[in-house]
């Protein structure tokens, strides 16, 4: 495994990341908009969402920190950031509870990513049965939404300026 500091300047495809760390490791791509600001290119996938065996919040967020390895569209690693998810556990738990409540009420088919702030239930194409309902629901995965990743990126850019 490469030491984390040595990653800056390398290509994301050329590094081996140790997934046995005591924090989440998230290689995330960003891009620049015309205004010159950076934006995340995608969401960060946390786990598959099993309607009949929902992962516990404590298991989903078994680590309180996430090491974000920011890279540009060419794959060049430009920044590393250790972000403390525990600072946002209240919002993340509220989002988790909203998703859990919808599943428990047999309304998983009505879930939208826009219903939550930071933790989303991202829709996948195939449909599966759901508990407490005869309707099929799209399979989903739990993700950290782009909006939340943007918050992290903005905070990092703000720290860099001062």
């Amino acid at each position: 495994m490469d030491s984390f500091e040595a990653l800056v300047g390398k290509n994301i495809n050329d590094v081996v990341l140790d997934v046995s760390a005591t924090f989440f490791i998230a290689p995330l791509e960003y891009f620049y908009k015309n205004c010159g600001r950076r934006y995340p290119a995608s969401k960060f996938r946390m786990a598959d969402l099993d309607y009949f065996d929902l992962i516990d919040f404590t298991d989903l967020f078994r680590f309180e920190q996430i090491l974000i390895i920011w890279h540009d569209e060419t794959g060049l690693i430009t920044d590393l950031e250790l972000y403390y998810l525990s600072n946002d556990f209240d919002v993340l738990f509220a989002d988790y509870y909203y998703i859990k409540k919808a599943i428990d009420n047999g309304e998983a088919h009505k879930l939208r990513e826009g219903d939550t702030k930071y933790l989303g239930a991202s829709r996948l194409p195939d449909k599966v049965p759901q508990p407490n309902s005869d309707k099929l629901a799209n399979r989903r995965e739990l993700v950290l939404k782009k909006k939340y990743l943007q918050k992290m990126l903005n905070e990092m850019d703000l720290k860099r300026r001062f």
Side-chain angles (χ1 to χ4, degrees):
M1 181 188 102
D2 294 309
S3 80
F4 291 120
E5 296 81 26
L7 295 176
V8 176
K10 291 187 176 184
N11 189 293
I12 192 69
N13 299 317
D14 296 337
V15 297
V16 176
L17 301 173
D18 183 3
V19 293
S20 67
T22 57
F23 43 80
F24 292 108
I25 297 177
L28 295 171
E29 181 181 341
Y30 67 86
F31 63 93
Y32 285 97
K33 287 205 173 176
N34 291 339
C35 63
R37 288 188 61 194
R38 298 191 298 175
Y39 289 88
S42 63
K43 311 167 217 176
F44 177 63
R45 182 188 172 284
M46 299 285 294
D48 286 330
L49 182 56
D50 182 346
Y51 295 130
F52 291 95
D53 187 21
L54 184 62
I55 187 170
D56 287 333
F57 182 81
T58 54
D59 291 336
L60 181 63
F61 290 99
R62 63 191 178 279
F63 305 126
E64 294 184 18
Q65 305 162 22
I66 182 170
L67 176 68
I68 303 176
I69 302 171
W70 292 105
H71 62 91
D72 62 17
E73 65 278 351
T74 67
L76 182 70
I77 299 172
T78 59
D79 296 289
L80 302 174
E81 176 185 17
L82 190 60
Y83 188 87
Y84 290 86
L85 297 167
S86 55
N87 293 338
D88 301 312
F89 273 173
D90 54 339
V91 177
L92 291 165
F93 183 76
D95 291 346
Y96 174 86
Y97 183 75
Y98 182 89
I99 293 165
K100 181 182 181 341
K101 185 178 169 188
I103 293 168
D104 290 344
N105 291 338
E107 297 179 342
H109 61 284
K110 293 182 180 179
L111 279 173
R112 297 177 313 133
E113 269 190 79
D115 295 336
T116 55
K117 291 184 180 181
Y118 296 161
L119 180 67
S122 183
R123 185 179 298 196
L124 299 171
D126 48 324
K127 295 198 175 208
V128 295
Q130 64 174 315
N132 305 319
S133 177
D134 294 335
K135 293 187 177 187
L136 293 177
N138 283 81
R139 213 168 50 79
R140 296 175 190 271
E141 57 188 12
L142 293 169
V143 297
L144 295 180
K145 295 169 58 168
K146 282 176 145 183
K147 173 183 176 180
Y148 187 40
L149 300 176
Q150 183 65 53
K151 174 186 180 275
M152 294 176 190
L153 193 55
N154 290 347
E155 287 177 12
M156 185 179 70
D157 286 344
L158 187 62
K159 286 179 196 173
R160 192 183 301 156
R161 279 190 247 161
F162 293 104

